[in-house]
Amino acid sequence: MTFTALLFLSFGGPNEPADVRPFLENVTRGRGVPPERLDEVVEHYLHFGGVSPLNRLNLEMIASLQAELRSRGRDLPIYFGNRNWAPYVTEAITELRDDGHQRALVFPTSAWGGYSGCRQYHEDIARGRTEIGAADGGPPLLRKLPQYWDQPGFTTAAVGAVRRAMVELGEGTPIRLVFTAHSIPVAADATAGPPGEGGHLYSRQVAAASQRVAAELGVDHHDLVWQSRSGPPQVPWLEPDICDHLEALAEQGVGRVVVCPIGFISDHLEVIWDLDSEARDLAERLGIAYARADTVGTDPAFVAMIADLVEQYLDPSTELRPDGAGDLEALGCGDNGILCRPDCCQLPARPTQRR
């Protein structure tokens, strides 16, 4: 039996100012985020009217993907669900089931391995199916698509975005290319990936994706930095931070910088606040000419990549093709919330608060 629908599964974001605090409480529940940090992020959202761009951008991506699939003769309905805000994943799965779909693919809006980047999406799927329960025939089979950071379409879209940003800066002194991704606790990165494979899957993947883009651009030297840390100050997170790095570049005499948010496929609030506000303002004060590359979002190359990935998994007969198309063993792929590897990408124990 083939798959008859696609669930587009994302992070979620507030749609109005009244949503902001409850949304952030959903995101940070149990994570030990200091109240003052939460207050600070609330102000970031309110600075932009209390609305995240993410839901709108996801809907635009869904529309682009729907058009791409239809151009290939695939009239596949796409349902939209989120982890942290409406429409919630359980609502999307319920709608999908009520429309008569027994098998659906799941596209997560994270390209990466790790707990937050991959395992938590499996948990979202499992939780949604459990909350539906056995009524009305039970939940559909849901197959999460694999990690896709290394797909050519992802690289092509990022290369195009960086080229446009470089053009924005025009002619002049050499441009320093800086890649950013969402920072995570060092301990979480250490447990990212299948047990016994050395961990650090998330940071290794981000570094490899950055290297691919730089190589396509013919850039010999680039930097990888991190952004948007939110945990308690005593917990080490991946460093350096983008703003600290800009200060270091200024001290080195670097005069022009292009920042590529390789770790995000759409403009989360973290992108438009951390990069388009804080980092841009700091660069101006430091005398650095600054341009931020687009996220891959609705770039035709990236949308075509999603469509390719979906088509590989649409028909179960492709699961064991020699070229690996539809391979159930691919990292991140799994049915009904079952992990791709036992104990993969475990969340480390949270440290106790210092008093």
Side-chain angles (χ1 to χ4, degrees):
M1 182 183 296
T2 191
F3 295 91
T4 59
L6 176 69
L7 171 59
F8 192 97
L9 182 55
S10 192
F11 186 81
N15 293 310
E16 59 181 358
D19 296 343
V20 173
R21 189 82 189 198
F23 162 74
L24 291 174
E25 289 171 352
N26 282 348
V27 173
T28 60
R29 186 170 290 113
R31 295 194 175 191
V33 177
E36 58 272 18
R37 171 58 180 166
L38 204 60
D39 294 339
E40 181 182 335
V41 179
V42 167
E43 291 304 314
H44 295 174
Y45 276 93
L46 294 179
H47 178 80
F48 295 100
V51 178
S52 168
L54 190 57
N55 284 335
R56 172 181 58 82
L57 294 171
N58 279 332
L59 291 172
E60 291 176 2
M61 198 182 308
I62 288 169
S64 296
L65 177 59
Q66 192 86 75
E68 176 66 23
L69 289 169
R70 284 176 177 162
S71 75
R72 303 180 183 199
R74 301 280 194 181
D75 192 13
L76 192 74
I78 302 177
Y79 296 78
F80 177 33
N82 289 316
R83 175 184 303 155
N84 296 302
W85 204 249
Y88 286 102
V89 60
T90 301
E91 298 168 351
I93 297 173
T94 300
E95 183 182 4
L96 194 152
R97 179 206 60 191
D98 291 348
D99 287 346
H101 298 287
Q102 298 178 17
R103 294 167 62 91
L105 298 170
V106 181
F107 174 77
T109 57
S110 168
W112 317 101
Y115 177 77
S116 297
C118 186
R119 179 169 178 154
Q120 203 167 8
Y121 285 93
H122 287 287
E123 293 177 354
D124 295 336
I125 293 166
R127 184 183 68 254
R129 296 182 83 253
T130 298
E131 290 175 355
I132 287 175
D136 300 320
L141 183 147
L142 297 173
R143 175 167 298 168
K144 179 183 172 294
L145 294 169
Q147 298 157 20
Y148 49 85
W149 64 273
D150 57 348
Q151 294 295 309
F154 182 92
T155 303
T156 298
V159 166
V162 172
R163 283 192 173 127
R164 290 190 297 274
M166 288 179 167
V167 169
E168 180 183 332
L169 287 185
E171 298 295 328
T173 58
I175 294 172
R176 179 69 67 91
L177 177 57
V178 179
F179 294 92
T180 72
H182 204 301
S183 185
I184 63 172
V186 171
D189 190 51
T191 60
E197 294 191 9
H200 305 282
L201 181 66
Y202 172 64
S203 59
R204 287 190 285 113
Q205 288 177 337
V206 174
S210 301
Q211 178 60 48
R212 285 170 179 249
V213 173
E216 286 287 328
L217 291 163
V219 174
D220 293 329
H221 302 289
H222 66 274
D223 304 324
L224 172 58
V225 301
W226 307 92
Q227 62 176 89
S228 312
R229 72 156 291 157
S230 60
Q234 72 271 19
V235 177
W237 283 52
L238 295 176
E239 294 179 336
D241 176 79
I242 175 62
C243 288
D244 293 339
H245 187 64
L246 288 175
E247 291 180 343
L249 291 180
E251 290 178 0
Q252 297 168 24
V254 173
R256 303 200 305 158
V257 169
V258 165
V259 175
C260 173
I262 191 80
F264 304 84
I265 70 169
S266 291
D267 284 10
H268 290 238
L269 185 111
E270 289 93 335
V271 173
I272 61 174
W273 178 263
D274 293 351
L275 301 185
D276 296 349
S277 182
E278 284 191 336
R280 186 180 297 276
D281 290 349
L282 175 61
E284 183 177 352
R285 293 197 301 272
L286 294 171
I288 294 175
Y290 177 98
R292 196 265 286 182
D294 299 327
T295 46
V296 293
T298 55
D299 186 287
F302 182 66
V303 173
M305 181 223 80
I306 303 173
D308 290 343
L309 196 59
V310 168
E311 287 195 310
Q312 289 174 10
Y313 282 83
L314 274 180
D315 186 344
S317 67
T318 67
E319 288 173 1
L320 298 177
R321 278 172 47 182
D323 62 0
D327 184 5
L328 284 175
E329 296 301 314
L331 280 175
C333 185
D335 288 347
N336 299 332
I338 297 173
L339 302 179
C340 65
R341 306 287 190 277
D343 299 320
C344 194
C345 297
Q346 294 187 65
L347 186 64
R350 301 192 187 284
T352 57
Q353 295 278 353
R354 292 180 181 173
R355 298 189 184 277

